[in-house]
Amino acid sequence: MHTKTAISRVLSGLGAACVITALAACSTVQTTGSGSVGVERKQYMSSMVSEQALEQEAAQQYATLVGQAKAQGALDVDAAQTRRVQAITQKLIQHVGSFRPDATNWKWETHVLSSDEVNAWCMPGGKIAVYTGLINKIKPTDAELAAVIGHEMAHALREHSREQVSQKMATSVGLSVLSAVTGVGGAADLGSALSEVMFTLPNSRTHETEADRIGVELAARAGYDPRAAVTLWQKMGSLSAGSSPPEFLSTHPSAASRSSDLTEAANKVMPLYQQAGGK
């Protein structure tokens, strides 16, 4: 009890200094244009976490994961399935310039990993993985698959991982100060922070909503019906029916609010879909 009290006093005394230090290391970054869906939130990134360093770390981790999957016979096993995923992804990549022109020069890479998990992700710099569990259990149409891949690509375009890592690294500055006084805690390294953000920590509601909206627009520009995002997440929701917590307890939007927001976003980008040849 006395130890906890002492630590609380130290935290109280150092709190302001730590916050000032963390804020001083952050700056406002405009990662993407707003697009037709209107994503305009200001983002704060730590100077300790550069875009280039995070992309390099992501590329290394991705190469390791792909190598492990290959060794286990779990990489791009179904040729037709892989071609389908990569073809859809390539169509989406052609339109990333609508949000950030520099992303057209990213070294995009896409693989299908054999796993029962219903999942897909895109690391910083455009390293994508789609799990067979998502394809086999959701049984998505091409438009629904475009919605989920576009959603994951949007996380990378908005640099949501860098934003989360920035928060962790900025916090570690305060922890380092605290560690010097108490001997507890310390700074997190970039690699472990990225791994935790990508594969352990959930995205915030704000990040999920932004990814939903940008993903819908990417799909529409690529000629995929943006309304498929609604049916996709309805299918996702049916897999976890009865197990999802109320929205105020969850970091993800509820199924109802997500469907409503996606419907609104889809309506906004319908002209883009029609321009791409959709009906």
Side-chain angles (χ1 to χ4, degrees), residues 36-116:
S36 296
V37 289
V39 175
E40 299 175 339
R41 178 179 62 90
K42 290 183 178 179
Q43 295 173 273
Y44 293 90
M45 304 292 187
S46 170
S47 59
M48 297 183 291
V49 187
S50 72
E51 179 185 355
Q52 294 74 20
L54 201 63
E55 286 185 12
Q56 183 177 6
E57 179 63 37
Q60 292 173 352
Q61 291 192 18
Y62 186 76
T64 298
L65 289 168
V66 168
Q68 291 173 345
K70 186 175 181 179
Q72 296 166 0
L75 179 69
D76 300 330
V77 174
D78 186 322
Q81 194 176 70
T82 301
R83 283 195 299 271
R84 179 191 179 208
V85 169
Q86 292 181 340
I88 291 171
T89 303
Q90 284 302 315
K91 288 183 179 179
L92 294 169
I93 291 171
Q94 292 175 17
H95 298 278
V96 296
S98 298
F99 287 96
R100 54 181 301 168
D102 67 305
T104 60
N105 296 320
W106 285 1
K107 296 179 180 179
W108 294 90
E109 190 174 347
T110 310
H111 291 287
V112 177
L113 306 184
S114 296
S115 169
D116 288 336

Side-chain angles (χ1 to χ4, degrees), residues 6 36 41 92 114 119 127 152 187 189 202 235 255 270 279:
S36 296
R41 178 179 62 90
L92 294 169
S114 296
N119 198 15
K127 306 302 185 184
E152 299 305 328
D189 68 87
K235 288 182 178 180
M270 280 301 289
K279 297 180 180 180

Side-chain angles (χ1 to χ4, degrees), residues 8 14-15 23 40 51 69 77 106 116 135 140 218 235-236 241 257 259 266 269:
S8 295
L14 293 176
L23 288 177
E40 299 175 339
E51 179 185 355
V77 174
W106 285 1
D116 288 336
I135 298 171
L218 286 175
K235 288 182 178 180
M236 289 283 198
S257 65
S259 293
V269 299

